[in-house]
Amino acid sequence: MMIVVVPVIVMTFLFAWRYRNTNYKAKYTPNWAHSNVIEAIVWFVPLVIIAFLALITWQTSHSLNPNVPIKAEEGVEPMEIDVVALDWKWLFIYPDLGIASVNEVAFPVDTPVHFNITSGTVMNSFMIPRLGSQLYAMAGMDNDLNLIAGEEGVYPGRSTNYSGAGFSEMIFKAHVTSQDEFEAWVEKVRQAPESLSFEQGYEELAAPTIDHPVEYFSSVPAELYDNIVQSFKNGTAVQPGHTGGHGGQHAAESAGHDEGHDVAMSAEVAE
Protein backbone atom coordinates (compact mmCIF):
# COMPACT_ATOMS: atom_id res chain seq x y z
CA MET A 1 0.00 0.00 0.00
CA MET A 2 2.89 2.37 0.76
CA ILE A 3 4.06 2.03 -2.85
CA VAL A 4 0.89 3.89 -3.84
CA VAL A 5 0.12 6.01 -0.78
CA VAL A 6 3.55 7.60 -0.19
CA PRO A 7 4.05 8.89 -3.78
CA VAL A 8 0.50 10.29 -3.82
CA ILE A 9 1.07 12.19 -0.56
CA VAL A 10 4.44 13.53 -1.77
CA MET A 11 3.04 14.61 -5.15
CA THR A 12 0.06 16.32 -3.51
CA PHE A 13 2.36 18.70 -1.65
CA LEU A 14 4.80 18.94 -4.57
CA PHE A 15 2.09 19.93 -7.06
CA ALA A 16 0.57 22.42 -4.64
CA TRP A 17 3.98 24.03 -4.14
CA ARG A 18 5.09 24.01 -7.79
CA TYR A 19 1.84 25.33 -9.24
CA ARG A 20 1.13 27.91 -6.57
CA ASN A 21 -0.17 31.26 -7.68
CA THR A 22 3.11 33.10 -7.07
CA ASN A 23 5.38 30.68 -8.99
CA TYR A 24 5.75 32.30 -12.41
CA LYS A 25 8.38 29.74 -13.50
CA ALA A 26 5.79 26.93 -13.65
CA LYS A 27 4.87 26.15 -17.24
CA TYR A 28 1.25 26.96 -18.08
CA THR A 29 -0.23 24.46 -20.59
CA PRO A 30 -4.03 24.73 -20.59
CA ASN A 31 -4.39 22.50 -23.67
CA TRP A 32 -2.28 19.62 -22.29
CA ALA A 33 -4.12 16.29 -22.48
CA HIS A 34 -1.69 13.32 -22.65
CA SER A 35 1.71 12.13 -21.42
CA ASN A 36 3.34 8.81 -22.30
CA VAL A 37 5.52 9.02 -19.18
CA ILE A 38 2.53 9.42 -16.88
CA GLU A 39 0.67 6.62 -18.70
CA ALA A 40 3.68 4.32 -18.26
CA ILE A 41 3.92 5.08 -14.53
CA VAL A 42 0.16 4.74 -13.96
CA TRP A 43 0.15 1.26 -15.54
CA PHE A 44 3.59 0.05 -14.45
CA VAL A 45 3.16 0.55 -10.69
CA PRO A 46 -0.10 -1.50 -10.42
CA LEU A 47 1.43 -4.23 -12.59
CA VAL A 48 4.44 -4.45 -10.26
CA ILE A 49 2.14 -4.63 -7.22
CA ILE A 50 0.05 -7.41 -8.80
CA ALA A 51 3.19 -9.32 -9.76
CA PHE A 52 4.51 -9.21 -6.17
CA LEU A 53 1.13 -10.18 -4.71
CA ALA A 54 0.85 -13.07 -7.17
CA LEU A 55 4.31 -14.34 -6.22
CA ILE A 56 3.62 -14.09 -2.49
CA THR A 57 0.19 -15.74 -2.87
CA TRP A 58 1.64 -18.60 -4.92
CA GLN A 59 4.46 -19.30 -2.47
CA THR A 60 2.42 -19.04 0.73
CA SER A 61 -0.51 -21.05 -0.67
CA HIS A 62 1.76 -23.95 -1.55
CA SER A 63 3.72 -23.70 1.71
CA LEU A 64 0.44 -24.00 3.65
CA ASN A 65 -0.88 -26.91 1.57
CA PRO A 66 -2.26 -29.39 4.16
CA ASN A 67 -1.21 -32.31 1.93
CA VAL A 68 2.49 -31.42 2.12
CA PRO A 69 4.37 -33.40 4.82
CA ILE A 70 5.83 -31.35 7.67
CA LYS A 71 9.56 -31.73 8.21
CA ALA A 72 10.38 -33.22 11.57
CA GLU A 73 13.31 -32.30 13.77
CA GLU A 74 16.23 -34.69 13.77
CA GLY A 75 15.37 -37.79 15.77
CA VAL A 76 11.60 -37.19 15.70
CA GLU A 77 9.54 -39.76 13.83
CA PRO A 78 6.31 -38.56 12.15
CA MET A 79 3.09 -40.23 13.33
CA GLU A 80 0.37 -41.84 11.24
CA ILE A 81 -3.27 -41.59 12.36
CA ASP A 82 -6.30 -42.77 10.36
CA VAL A 83 -9.50 -40.76 10.82
CA VAL A 84 -12.99 -42.04 9.98
CA ALA A 85 -16.07 -39.80 10.21
CA LEU A 86 -19.13 -41.73 11.40
CA ASP A 87 -22.67 -40.79 12.48
CA TRP A 88 -21.98 -38.81 14.73
CA LYS A 89 -18.55 -39.49 16.09
CA TRP A 90 -14.89 -39.69 15.08
CA LEU A 91 -12.92 -42.93 14.92
CA PHE A 92 -9.13 -42.57 15.26
CA ILE A 93 -7.00 -45.55 14.26
CA TYR A 94 -3.29 -45.88 15.03
CA PRO A 95 -2.18 -48.44 12.40
CA ASP A 96 1.41 -48.63 13.66
CA LEU A 97 0.29 -49.21 17.26
CA GLY A 98 -2.72 -51.46 16.59
CA ILE A 99 -5.11 -49.40 18.73
CA ALA A 100 -8.05 -47.06 18.15
CA SER A 101 -10.16 -44.52 20.00
CA VAL A 102 -13.48 -42.75 19.54
CA ASN A 103 -13.87 -39.00 20.04
CA GLU A 104 -10.37 -38.67 21.47
CA VAL A 105 -6.98 -38.46 19.79
CA ALA A 106 -3.53 -38.01 21.29
CA PHE A 107 -0.07 -37.33 19.90
CA PRO A 108 3.23 -35.93 21.21
CA VAL A 109 4.15 -32.25 21.04
CA ASP A 110 6.44 -31.12 18.19
CA THR A 111 5.69 -34.32 16.30
CA PRO A 112 4.44 -34.09 12.70
CA VAL A 113 1.18 -36.02 12.37
CA HIS A 114 -0.09 -37.38 9.06
CA PHE A 115 -3.87 -37.86 9.18
CA ASN A 116 -5.51 -40.13 6.60
CA ILE A 117 -9.12 -38.96 6.47
CA THR A 118 -12.21 -40.72 5.10
CA SER A 119 -15.88 -41.16 5.93
CA GLY A 120 -17.91 -44.23 6.75
CA THR A 121 -21.11 -42.33 6.01
CA VAL A 122 -22.04 -38.98 4.41
CA MET A 123 -19.52 -36.25 3.60
CA ASN A 124 -18.11 -34.52 6.64
CA SER A 125 -15.27 -32.16 7.51
CA PHE A 126 -12.44 -32.65 10.02
CA MET A 127 -10.89 -29.73 11.86
CA ILE A 128 -8.82 -28.91 14.93
CA PRO A 129 -9.28 -25.12 14.82
CA ARG A 130 -6.22 -24.11 16.88
CA LEU A 131 -4.02 -26.26 14.65
CA GLY A 132 -5.75 -25.20 11.44
CA SER A 133 -6.54 -26.92 8.16
CA GLN A 134 -10.15 -27.98 7.75
CA LEU A 135 -10.32 -30.98 5.40
CA TYR A 136 -13.25 -32.92 3.99
CA ALA A 137 -13.94 -36.57 4.81
CA MET A 138 -15.70 -38.41 1.97
CA ALA A 139 -16.80 -42.02 1.66
CA GLY A 140 -14.56 -44.12 -0.57
CA MET A 141 -11.89 -41.42 -0.69
CA ASP A 142 -8.60 -40.98 1.17
CA ASN A 143 -7.61 -37.41 2.05
CA ASP A 144 -4.31 -36.29 3.56
CA LEU A 145 -3.78 -33.73 6.32
CA ASN A 146 -0.48 -32.87 7.99
CA LEU A 147 -0.45 -31.00 11.32
CA ILE A 148 1.97 -30.29 14.14
CA ALA A 149 1.37 -28.85 17.62
CA GLY A 150 4.06 -26.67 19.15
CA GLU A 151 2.57 -26.59 22.64
CA GLU A 152 1.13 -29.19 25.00
CA GLY A 153 -2.53 -28.93 25.87
CA VAL A 154 -6.03 -30.05 24.98
CA TYR A 155 -7.15 -28.86 21.54
CA PRO A 156 -10.89 -29.09 20.81
CA GLY A 157 -11.80 -30.58 17.44
CA ARG A 158 -15.10 -30.88 15.65
CA SER A 159 -17.07 -31.53 12.51
CA THR A 160 -17.44 -28.42 10.37
CA ASN A 161 -19.83 -29.77 7.75
CA TYR A 162 -23.51 -30.31 8.63
CA SER A 163 -24.25 -34.03 8.50
CA GLY A 164 -27.56 -34.57 10.26
CA ALA A 165 -29.23 -34.62 13.65
CA GLY A 166 -26.11 -35.30 15.75
CA PHE A 167 -23.83 -32.85 13.95
CA SER A 168 -23.57 -30.42 16.88
CA GLU A 169 -22.35 -33.21 19.19
CA MET A 170 -19.74 -34.50 16.72
CA ILE A 171 -16.81 -33.15 18.70
CA PHE A 172 -13.58 -34.58 20.09
CA LYS A 173 -10.50 -33.62 22.08
CA ALA A 174 -6.94 -33.72 20.77
CA HIS A 175 -4.49 -34.28 23.63
CA VAL A 176 -1.01 -32.95 22.84
CA THR A 177 1.38 -34.35 25.43
CA SER A 178 5.00 -35.11 26.13
CA GLN A 179 6.39 -38.34 24.71
CA ASP A 180 6.19 -40.07 28.11
CA GLU A 181 2.58 -38.99 28.65
CA PHE A 182 1.66 -40.16 25.16
CA GLU A 183 3.17 -43.60 25.83
CA ALA A 184 1.16 -43.75 29.08
CA TRP A 185 -2.00 -42.92 27.07
CA VAL A 186 -1.20 -45.71 24.61
CA GLU A 187 -0.81 -48.17 27.48
CA LYS A 188 -4.18 -47.07 28.90
CA VAL A 189 -5.83 -47.74 25.55
CA ARG A 190 -4.17 -51.16 25.35
CA GLN A 191 -5.82 -52.08 28.65
CA ALA A 192 -9.29 -51.65 27.14
CA PRO A 193 -11.26 -54.93 26.87
CA GLU A 194 -12.77 -54.18 23.43
CA SER A 195 -11.23 -54.94 20.05
CA LEU A 196 -12.36 -53.69 16.64
CA SER A 197 -12.21 -55.01 13.09
CA PHE A 198 -14.20 -54.50 9.90
CA GLU A 199 -15.86 -57.90 10.35
CA GLN A 200 -16.46 -57.61 14.09
CA GLY A 201 -17.52 -54.50 15.95
CA TYR A 202 -17.32 -51.92 13.18
CA GLU A 203 -20.96 -52.27 12.06
CA GLU A 204 -22.16 -51.73 15.61
CA LEU A 205 -19.84 -48.75 16.05
CA ALA A 206 -20.97 -47.25 12.72
CA ALA A 207 -24.61 -47.17 13.83
CA PRO A 208 -25.79 -43.56 14.38
CA THR A 209 -25.31 -42.29 17.94
CA ILE A 210 -25.40 -38.80 19.42
CA ASP A 211 -22.95 -37.56 22.06
CA HIS A 212 -21.01 -40.83 21.89
CA PRO A 213 -18.67 -41.27 24.89
CA VAL A 214 -14.92 -41.66 24.54
CA GLU A 215 -14.17 -45.29 23.75
CA TYR A 216 -10.94 -47.28 23.41
CA PHE A 217 -10.06 -50.40 21.39
CA SER A 218 -6.97 -52.31 22.42
CA SER A 219 -6.69 -54.43 19.27
CA VAL A 220 -7.28 -53.10 15.75
CA PRO A 221 -5.91 -54.52 12.47
CA ALA A 222 -3.74 -52.09 10.51
CA GLU A 223 -5.86 -52.66 7.39
CA LEU A 224 -9.15 -51.48 9.00
CA TYR A 225 -8.91 -48.01 7.43
CA ASP A 226 -8.25 -49.46 3.96
CA ASN A 227 -11.14 -51.90 4.43
CA ILE A 228 -13.51 -49.00 5.13
CA VAL A 229 -12.32 -47.02 2.09
CA GLN A 230 -12.45 -50.02 -0.25
CA SER A 231 -15.87 -51.12 1.00
CA PHE A 232 -17.45 -48.17 -0.79
CA LYS A 233 -15.72 -49.16 -4.01
CA ASN A 234 -16.64 -52.84 -3.99
CA GLY A 235 -20.18 -52.54 -2.58
CA THR A 236 -19.57 -54.01 0.88
CA ALA A 237 -19.84 -50.77 2.86
CA VAL A 238 -21.34 -50.98 6.33
CA GLN A 239 -24.35 -48.68 6.33
CA PRO A 240 -26.68 -49.47 9.24
CA GLY A 241 -30.25 -48.78 8.21
CA HIS A 242 -29.40 -48.63 4.51
CA THR A 243 -29.34 -51.17 1.71
CA GLY A 244 -26.04 -52.98 1.16
CA GLY A 245 -23.08 -54.00 3.28
CA HIS A 246 -23.34 -56.20 6.36
CA GLY A 247 -26.72 -54.66 7.19
CA GLY A 248 -28.16 -55.40 3.75
CA GLN A 249 -30.69 -58.06 4.77
CA HIS A 250 -32.08 -56.00 7.62
CA ALA A 251 -32.20 -52.93 5.38
CA ALA A 252 -34.00 -54.88 2.66
CA GLU A 253 -36.63 -56.08 5.14
CA SER A 254 -37.07 -52.52 6.37
CA ALA A 255 -37.33 -51.27 2.80
CA GLY A 256 -40.05 -53.82 2.06
CA HIS A 257 -41.97 -52.78 5.14
CA ASP A 258 -41.59 -49.09 4.24
CA GLU A 259 -42.65 -49.79 0.67
CA GLY A 260 -45.88 -51.45 1.83
CA HIS A 261 -46.48 -48.57 4.20
CA ASP A 262 -45.99 -46.06 1.37
CA VAL A 263 -48.47 -47.96 -0.83
CA ALA A 264 -51.06 -47.92 1.93
CA MET A 265 -50.52 -44.23 2.48
CA SER A 266 -50.87 -43.60 -1.26
CA ALA A 267 -54.18 -45.47 -1.28
CA GLU A 268 -55.45 -43.36 1.60
CA VAL A 269 -54.39 -40.19 -0.17
CA ALA A 270 -56.11 -41.40 -3.38
CA GLU A 271 -59.38 -41.87 -1.46
Side-chain angles (χ1 to χ4, degrees), residues 231-255:
S231 67
F232 286 92
K233 299 180 180 180
N234 56 29
T236 60
V238 173
Q239 297 178 316
H242 299 278
T243 304
H246 298 283
Q249 182 177 356
H250 174 72
E253 294 173 357
S254 298

Side-chain angles (χ1 to χ4, degrees), residues 59-70:
Q59 291 178 339
T60 54
S61 295
H62 283 78
S63 67
L64 297 174
N65 184 355
N67 299 126
V68 177
I70 299 173

Side-chain angles (χ1 to χ4, degrees), residues 15-48:
F15 276 53
W17 172 257
R18 178 173 176 78
Y19 296 103
R20 69 191 185 278
N21 188 46
T22 57
N23 184 16
Y24 298 105
K25 295 181 179 179
K27 187 177 180 181
Y28 178 61
T29 54
N31 296 321
W32 176 89
H34 180 76
S35 170
N36 290 330
V37 175
I38 293 178
E39 284 288 334
I41 295 174
V42 167
W43 285 102
F44 178 74
V45 173
L47 288 174
V48 171

Side-chain angles (χ1 to χ4, degrees), residues 94-111:
Y94 293 75
D96 297 331
L97 300 175
I99 60 175
S101 60
V102 175
N103 286 342
E104 182 178 279
V105 63
F107 46 91
V109 67
D110 295 325
T111 299

Side-chain angles (χ1 to χ4, degrees), residues 54-201:
L55 179 63
I56 293 172
T57 301
W58 177 273
Q59 291 178 339
T60 54
S61 295
H62 283 78
S63 67
L64 297 174
N65 184 355
N67 299 126
V68 177
I70 299 173
K71 292 183 180 179
E73 296 182 1
E74 187 175 354
V76 178
E77 289 293 328
M79 178 172 292
E80 196 91 3
I81 301 178
D82 299 331
V83 182
V84 183
L86 299 172
D87 289 330
W88 285 275
K89 50 193 165 287
W90 294 97
L91 171 63
F92 299 96
I93 305 168
Y94 293 75
D96 297 331
L97 300 175
I99 60 175
S101 60
V102 175
N103 286 342
E104 182 178 279
V105 63
F107 46 91
V109 67
D110 295 325
T111 299
V113 181
H114 176 214
F115 291 98
N116 302 296
I117 302 175
T118 192
S119 175
T121 177
V122 299
M123 184 173 75
N124 221 297
S125 189
F126 174 83
M127 187 180 188
I128 305 176
R130 287 170 59 194
L131 298 182
S133 297
Q134 168 189 322
L135 214 63
Y136 283 106
M138 293 171 280
M141 298 185 69
D142 177 26
N143 219 339
D144 299 292
L145 172 62
N146 292 275
L147 296 178
I148 187 170
E151 296 180 0
E152 296 182 22
V154 179
Y155 295 75
R158 66 174 302 108
S159 163
T160 56
N161 187 78
Y162 182 73
S163 57
F167 160 76
S168 60
E169 300 298 328
M170 196 170 173
I171 56 179
F172 64 92
K173 292 182 178 179
H175 295 267
V176 179
T177 66
S178 64
Q179 183 63 40
D180 291 340
E181 289 175 325
F182 173 71
E183 292 176 0
W185 181 85
V186 171
E187 288 303 315
K188 181 176 70 171
V189 176
R190 284 177 172 162
Q191 300 303 315
E194 292 86 7
S195 60
L196 181 67
S197 68
F198 189 73
E199 294 78 16
Q200 295 183 343

